[in-house]
Amino acid sequence: MEESKYMNPYLAGTLLGILLVATIYITGRGLGASGAIKSYAVTTMQTIAPSHTAETKFYKEYGKEHSSGSPLMNWLVFEVAGVLIGAFLSGLISNRLDLKLEKGPRSTTKIRVAGALIGGLLWGIGSQLGRGCTSGSALSGLAVMSTGGIITMFAIFVGAYMFAYTFRKFWI
Amino acid sequence: MGPLVPDVVSNNLNFIAALVIGIMFGAILEQAGFSTSKKLVGLFYGYDFTVLRVFFTAGIVAMIGVMGLEHYGLVDINLVYVNPTFLWSGIVGGLIMGLGFVVGGFCPGTSVCAAAIGKIDAMIFIIGAFFGVIIFAEGYPIFEPLYKAANWGSPRFFETLGMSQNIFAFILVMFALSAFWFSSIVENKVNKVNKPPIRFTPYYIGIASIGIIMGLSAFIFPERKASLLERVEDKEFVSSYKIETMTPDEFALCLLKINECNKFQIFDFRTEHEFKKMSLPKSTLFTIDNLFEKEPNKLLNLKHKVNVFVANDELTEKKMAIIAGELGYKRIKILEGGLETFKEQILNYTEIENPKTVDEQNTNRFRVKAKSVIPILIQNNKSAGPVKKVQKRVVGGC
């Protein structure tokens, strides 16, 4: 079966915006993603090296900020679990489920794997410094007009355009 | 009044809400095409601006929506998470994420989305992000000075710029609309499509007019707080507004019989300094800002209670009572003449010499008694101090 066409971007954007308003109305906070990855990272470290995390400042500060129980009992962990389900269902409906590695026409599998891994690493570090990623800091920050969120949003765009030419062979 | 968490929606139910919100979030992202890195990085190479369109449309819809909620008093913005501003950390972090975007082809949210439909590169990306957080955690002593530098608190951008929220919103909407237009020109050039970027099809006219209406609606949304504050400065409006009053004698009687008279609760609108020096029994220190906040308002909403507003002068009391009335609070009374008159007529009462009528005799008897008892009540109340209202802001972010 043919893949379905993607939704009109303005329609998708409007729906996403309404969802974000509803989220803020119900929970008082915006959407996010990188925080869930952080929760898993912290949990993993606490499990494999409990004595190390008990003495390292980052984990101690994390524990102080998220006082209620396990780091996995976290709003974002549940939200991202939802994202997985929602995206899977959407892919199922639109016939887009397919196990594959996607890469640019001039890129190789090796480059793509390394790029994805390093890109991920950079996001892991960057989203900590930016106190959120595209969803948590940029989009949700824009919704509440947070100064920090909007600055980070522009920094993400500037950074990407600054380095786009250098890595053009990855994609075009 | 929102946010519904934690009063209406309990913390456990909130996790279910998170799951449902996440499902919708994931489905929308996937339907928009955010599950393929080729489409995502398109905007950095000019061949596909879907991400920009979805992102900015969502951003301005949400922004105007939040303004609307704020405007109609449906949400207490003081309780909503506003991302904190750490200037340098935010900029450097953003640049690193931008680099990560063109290297990795995803951002965290979209990578989860893509992994869900089987993209292997997305799964590798998530593993990378996982280790990225660990690198940050282990290298925290190195990052910490940058991470915590230039802490500006949680300002909102229009406050930082010192402009009105409406003008800022309008500028952002116009910025987004021109970005949509400009990106279409670029996209068509790169893809060698010979179509004018703006085609006056009903569809595009519809989108543009919704955008412009949204931009203009920012001006129709003067903040309710600001407009109310302005209205109570109008003397005619204030003097024509009817508010129930209590005479100093009635008020004193109520203080004397405070235990039987627990229908009454007093809201004191003086400064904290004055309140500390002398506070009435069962009174709560209130500020004009409290009237617009969610937590303090629970007190005002208590059923079967009469809310008595006091301040030094009656005009201030009346202004506050009008604002509260306009906000929909019921059973509000003010003290006639304010606390100044109350002090003069009760606390510092000088007896009428040779009372001639029964009325004067009664007044004398009552006020002399009140004069001796109420100061003791005030004295005993001193230990209570002003009521601190703890505001719990929702913890958000990543």
Side-chain angles (χ1 to χ4, degrees), chain A residues 14-15 17 22 26 28 31 35-36 44 47-48 57 61 76 80 85 103 114-115 127 134 136-137 160 162 165-167:
Chain A
T14 307
L15 292 178
I26 296 169
L31 300 163
T44 309
T47 314
I48 59 172
K57 199 170 179 195
E61 282 186 13
L76 285 170
V80 169
I85 299 168
K103 56 181 194 291
S127 65
T134 346
S137 190
M162 236 163 55
Y165 188 75
T166 320
F167 296 99

Side-chain angles (χ1 to χ4, degrees), chain B residues 1 33 51 54 68 99 103 110 158 172 229 290 350 355 365 369:
Chain B
M1 194 190 255
V51 173
V54 175
L99 173 62
V103 173
T110 52
F158 55 89
L172 268 184
L229 293 183
N290 289 151
T350 37
R365 198 180 320 126
K369 187 187 171 204

Side-chain angles (χ1 to χ4, degrees), chain B residues 148-262:
Chain B
K148 290 191 174 156
N151 180 359
W152 290 4
S154 296
R156 303 175 74 197
F157 214 98
F158 55 89
E159 294 165 355
T160 309
L161 297 176
M163 59 166 68
S164 93
Q165 187 176 15
N166 304 330
I167 291 174
F168 181 72
F170 182 76
I171 291 171
L172 268 184
V173 173
M174 289 304 129
F175 174 79
L177 285 180
S178 31
F180 296 154
W181 176 66
F182 180 72
S183 63
S184 295
I185 297 177
V186 175
E187 197 176 78
N188 287 343
K189 266 216 173 114
V190 171
N191 295 333
K192 304 200 170 59
V193 178
N194 228 347
K195 271 190 297 192
I198 302 174
R199 278 154 291 153
F200 287 99
T201 60
Y203 198 76
Y204 278 83
I205 292 173
I207 289 169
S209 42
I210 290 171
I212 290 166
I213 288 168
M214 277 173 55
L216 292 177
S217 70
F219 288 101
I220 311 164
F221 284 152
E223 223 209 336
R224 186 167 62 158
K225 187 173 173 180
S227 69
L228 272 176
L229 293 183
E230 206 173 298
R231 271 172 76 192
V232 294
E233 288 310 312
D234 181 356
K235 280 191 189 118
E236 246 172 73
F237 172 70
V238 172
S239 60
S240 68
Y241 206 100
K242 289 275 172 291
I243 299 271
E244 262 188 273
T245 59
M246 275 179 110
T247 64
D249 289 313
E250 284 171 338
F251 190 69
L253 184 66
C254 228
L255 286 177
L256 290 175
K257 296 186 169 176
I258 194 93
N259 290 326
E260 294 108 88
C261 215
N262 56 13

